[in-house]
């Protein structure tokens, strides 16, 4: 989806939170502290134009970060350098799972299955 508009990205991955909203969700943190979450591999931040955005699928309904997300992000980031690609992998419907996404599986408590799928894809892409 290179060259896609933010509306195209929003349809594929959205909606998105702006940094101020994420800072509030995470306990009224300073906005600049969010970069640490991204660098530690706890959150995905994407850049759209001049704006940093956080796909909402990486948060639970109560606004917490998905606890099983960091190990999956760590694996994927070994082969996918663009955060948009990581977000797409997590949010792409899987035919063999009835259209579910890795993000919905994580939210439903299937972290082991998502980690296995990530390991398989990373292994395939690395060869």
């Amino acid at each position: 989806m290179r060259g896609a508009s933010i509306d195209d990205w929003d349809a594929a991955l959205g909606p998105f939170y702006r940094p101020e909203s994420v800072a509030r969700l995470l306990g009224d943190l300073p906005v600049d502290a969010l970069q640490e979450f991204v660098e530690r591999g706890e959150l995905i931040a994407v850049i759209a134009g001049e704006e940093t955005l956080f796909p909402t699928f990486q948060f639970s309904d109560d606004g917490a970060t998905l606890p099983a997300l960091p190990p999956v992000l760590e694996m994927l980031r070994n082969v996918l350098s663009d955060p948009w690609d990581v977000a797409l992998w997590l949010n792409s419907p899987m035919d063999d799972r009835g259209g579910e996404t890795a993000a919905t599986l994580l939210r439903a408590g299937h972290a082991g299955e998502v980690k296995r799928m990530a390991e398989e894809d990373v292994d395939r892409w690395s060869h």
Side-chain angles (χ1 to χ4, degrees), residues 27-110:
D28 291 321
L29 298 174
V31 170
D32 59 350
L34 297 179
Q35 185 58 34
E36 293 174 31
F37 283 83
V38 173
E39 288 172 4
R40 288 192 308 253
E42 296 175 32
L43 287 175
I44 300 168
V46 295
I47 306 297
E50 300 288 317
E51 192 168 14
T52 300
L53 301 170
F54 294 83
T56 60
F57 69 79
Q58 62 189 325
F59 298 92
S60 65
D61 291 339
D62 66 359
T65 58
L66 296 177
L69 184 61
V72 175
L73 291 180
E74 182 178 349
M75 281 186 270
L76 294 173
R77 288 178 173 172
N78 286 325
V79 294
L80 299 174
S81 59
D82 188 330
W84 286 108
D85 292 334
V86 173
L88 278 172
W89 186 91
L90 284 159
N91 211 42
S92 293
M94 298 174 284
D95 291 336
D96 61 335
R97 293 291 306 194
E100 287 185 294
T101 68
T104 57
L105 291 171
L106 285 175
R107 190 173 284 105
H110 301 286

